[in-house]
């Protein structure tokens, strides 16, 4: 039976869904307006400033979820690039994503975005916001397989930096770049294990580190200010010396988003950090395991290079990606949730709120079934007794009256 689109207005948004190491990738094939800009970085700025509502439509519920990840294919200004790409997530737009490169490379061969495939490998040149990434897709008998890619120059930015982390005191971290900047710290510093501890506890610790590094460490990148921001924190098992045994880590990035994969750009940055410290040598392959799913990527430093004044390495990362589905998304004009929303679980907070009756209410712990939902312009706290309070907003939003909060969810 041929699939028919339901009633809708405007263009449909067509996507192919994949995953690499358990981390989703929603590849946007059609429905986006023209993305203007004379470079991939300028296109990244353009979608952030003019088309961000479509990111929310595809990444947020009800079409996505809090940890959804996406890729928008764009034209590149580099002649040797087969395609350009913009990465997106729950907070905005990243500059590099290794698991997405693994998935997108296989997609590019299967969907004929490159010239005639070659065996045993087909090269795919992907222009990411951080630069040109060369990937190689296994190809045999008309079928695609595993993928390896060569990173942009990766380097250790700062080592043994002490930052003051809320609830944890002084913490020593390393900061390294693998297409994006990450802070690295052994999870044992917080009494945690990346493969055994509760995910929420790991997220809380990593988020606290990210907040500290963002406020206390000034980052810079030799080629572009657009790259000079901390993408996330990677908690490790502390096994940084070379070994044939896997080493595990968990990456928490963007707005407390948890990577299900070992994190391709994080593997790149971690290999660069280990090489900088003399813990591994060129062409020593290490296996990196996701603390979330147990999935694995491999990584190795293959060449010394420079990035500005930084001593850097080119890192080869390898993994596999798989297809999970194809979808066409539509929007209806009378759907109040069509622009997307996020649900956020709360643990403990203190919040002073002015109700319409001018009564101040202080919430020390969220009540049972309380949740925060981020909408297009505001964030609301919904209480189990039917109340709702606006806790943050970019623009003034009408007060959701007690007893009848907008779009109340059970």
């Amino acid at each position: 039976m041929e699939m028919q689109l339901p009633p809708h207005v405007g263009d449909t948004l067509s996507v192919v869904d994949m995953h690499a190491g358990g981390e989703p990738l929603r590849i946007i094939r059609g429905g986006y307006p023209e993305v203007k800009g004379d470079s991939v970085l300028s296109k990244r700025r353009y979608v952030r400033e003019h088309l961000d509502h479509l990111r929310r439509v595809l990444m947020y519920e009800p079409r996505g979820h809090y940890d959804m990840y996406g890729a928008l294919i764009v034209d590149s200004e580099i002649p040797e690039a087969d395609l350009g790409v913009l990465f997106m997530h729950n907070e905005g737009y990243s500059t590099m994503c290794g698991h997405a490169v693994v998935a997108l490379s296989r997609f590019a061969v299967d969907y004929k975005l490159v010239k005639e495939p070659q065996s045993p490998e087909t090269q795919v040149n992907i222009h990411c916001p951080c630069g040109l990434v060369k990937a190689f897709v296994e190809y045999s008998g008309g079928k695609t397989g595993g993928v390896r890619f060569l990173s942009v120059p990766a380097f250790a930015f700062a080592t043994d930096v002490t930052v003051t982390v809320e609830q944890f005191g002084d913490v020593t971290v390393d900061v390294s770049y693998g297409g994006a900047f990450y802070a690295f710290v052994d999870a044992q510093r917080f009494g945690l294990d990346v493969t055994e501890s509760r995910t929420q506890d790991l997220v809380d610790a990593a988020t606290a580190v990210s907040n500290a590094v963002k406020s206390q460490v000034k980052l810079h990148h030799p080629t572009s200010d657009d790259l000079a921001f901390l993408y996330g924190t990677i908690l490790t098992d502390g096994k940084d010396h070379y070994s044939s045994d896997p080493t595990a880590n968990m990456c928490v990035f963007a707005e407390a988003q948890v990577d299900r994969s070992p994190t391709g750009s994080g593997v790149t940055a971690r290999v660069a950090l280990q090489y900088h410290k003399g813990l591994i040598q060129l062409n020593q392959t290490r296996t990196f395991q996701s603390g979330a799913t147990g999935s694995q990527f491999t990584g190795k430093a293959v060449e010394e290079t420079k990035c500005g004044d930084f001593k850097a390495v080119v890192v080869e990362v390898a993994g596999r990606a798989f297809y999970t589905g194809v979808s066409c998304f539509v929007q209806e004009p009378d759907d109040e949730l069509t622009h997307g929303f996020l649900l956020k679980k709360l643990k403990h907070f203190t919040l002073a709120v002015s109700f319409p009756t001018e009564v101040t209410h202080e919430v020390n712990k969220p009540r049972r079934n309380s949740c925060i939902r981020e909408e297009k312009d505001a964030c609301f706290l919904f209480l189990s007794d039917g109340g709702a309070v606006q806790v943050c907003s970019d623009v003034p939003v009408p007060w959701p009256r007690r007893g009848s909060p907008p779009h109340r969810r059970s």
Side-chain angles (χ1 to χ4, degrees):
M1 177 176 170
E2 183 179 353
M3 184 179 70
Q4 294 183 339
L5 292 176
H8 65 282
V9 294
D11 294 332
T12 61
L13 292 163
S14 59
V15 304
V16 173
D17 282 335
M18 302 182 71
H19 83 88
E23 179 71 358
L25 183 70
R26 175 160 287 170
I27 301 171
I28 304 162
R29 295 194 64 205
Y32 251 69
E34 177 188 2
V35 179
K36 298 179 180 179
D38 57 7
S39 68
V40 166
L41 274 176
S42 64
K43 287 179 170 68
R44 177 175 175 265
R45 290 190 293 269
Y46 182 85
V47 296
R48 185 174 58 207
E49 296 169 2
H50 301 283
L51 301 176
D52 197 53
H53 61 286
L54 293 177
R55 175 186 66 85
R56 294 192 295 267
V57 165
L58 288 173
M59 297 297 102
Y60 288 11
E61 294 188 51
R63 301 169 189 86
H65 55 81
Y66 192 87
D67 296 301
M68 179 56 76
Y69 206 97
L72 174 64
I73 297 173
V74 297
D75 292 332
S76 167
E77 73 275 15
I78 300 177
E80 61 182 306
D82 294 300
L83 64 151
V85 62
L86 303 177
F87 305 116
M88 61 184 70
H89 45 70
N90 69 9
E91 183 185 48
Y93 305 87
S94 57
T95 55
M96 175 58 188
C97 179
H99 94 275
V101 166
V102 171
L104 195 59
S105 299
R106 186 181 175 205
F107 169 88
V109 177
D110 289 335
Y111 280 77
K112 298 177 172 55
L113 301 184
V114 297
K115 298 177 181 179
E116 191 67 24
Q118 303 292 319
S119 295
E121 287 184 322
T122 297
Q123 183 170 339
V124 182
N125 294 338
I126 301 178
H127 187 185
C128 306
C130 64
L132 187 68
V133 175
K134 296 182 178 181
F136 303 86
V137 183
E138 294 175 356
Y139 187 80
S140 178
K143 294 184 178 180
T144 51
V147 178
R148 63 184 179 93
F149 68 83
L150 299 176
S151 73
V152 296
F155 55 89
F157 177 82
T159 59
D160 298 325
V161 178
T162 299
V163 293
T164 302
V165 180
E166 185 176 0
Q167 296 185 355
F168 297 105
D170 288 346
V171 176
T172 300
V173 304
D174 298 320
V175 179
S176 189
Y177 177 82
F181 282 101
Y182 294 95
F184 289 86
V185 61
D186 189 337
Q188 294 180 26
R189 167 61 182 79
F190 311 103
L192 301 174
D193 183 306
V194 292
T195 62
E196 300 293 336
S197 296
R198 290 197 321 150
T199 299
Q200 188 59 56
D201 293 335
L202 294 163
V203 169
D204 291 343
T207 300
V209 171
S210 290
N211 291 339
V213 173
K214 287 177 182 178
S215 64
Q216 299 169 43
V217 179
K218 183 174 177 55
L219 300 177
H220 71 271
H221 191 278
T223 64
S224 175
D225 290 339
D226 284 351
L227 306 177
F229 65 94
L230 188 78
Y231 190 30
T233 289
I234 296 179
L235 301 178
T236 77
D237 60 5
K239 299 176 182 178
D240 287 319
H241 287 272
Y242 175 74
S243 170
S244 59
D245 295 331
T247 175
N249 53 232
M250 178 180 284
C251 177
V252 180
F253 66 98
E255 187 63 35
Q257 190 162 336
V258 179
D259 196 335
R260 275 72 169 158
S261 80
T263 311
S265 57
V267 166
T268 302
R270 194 173 173 200
V271 167
L273 182 62
Q274 291 174 352
Y275 185 79
H276 173 81
K277 291 186 172 186
L279 304 177
I280 58 171
Q281 304 301 315
L282 288 179
N283 294 308
Q284 286 188 321
T285 300
R286 294 215 64 185
T287 300
F288 296 85
Q289 179 176 307
S290 165
T293 64
S295 61
Q296 296 181 343
F297 291 164
T298 61
K300 62 180 177 180
V302 296
E303 178 187 346
E304 290 183 339
T305 185
K306 295 274 287 185
C307 186
D309 293 331
F310 290 100
K311 293 181 179 180
V313 288
V314 174
V315 178
E316 180 184 289
V317 177
R320 297 202 67 186
F322 299 90
Y323 294 97
T324 57
V326 177
S327 299
C328 286
F329 293 110
V330 300
Q331 293 182 269
E332 292 189 88
D334 56 346
D335 180 1
E336 295 178 339
L337 297 180
T338 191
H339 297 295
F341 60 90
L342 291 179
L343 294 181
K344 299 181 182 180
K345 295 180 180 179
L346 298 179
K347 288 186 67 181
H348 174 82
F349 66 98
T350 299
L351 176 68
V353 180
S354 296
F355 283 91
T357 56
E358 302 301 322
V359 176
T360 299
H361 180 67
E362 185 172 78
V363 183
N364 289 315
K365 290 185 179 179
R367 306 178 195 182
R368 186 180 180 188
N369 298 328
S370 300
C371 66
I372 274 186
R373 188 174 76 239
E374 182 177 281
E375 301 200 2
K376 182 177 180 182
D377 297 310
C379 193
F380 294 101
L381 169 65
F382 292 88
L383 304 176
S384 58
D385 63 359
V389 296
Q390 181 183 328
V391 295
C392 63
S393 176
D394 294 325
V395 297
V397 177
W399 183 265
R401 296 186 178 277
R402 290 179 65 83
S404 59
H407 323 311
R408 180 79 164 100
R409 300 184 65 83
S410 59

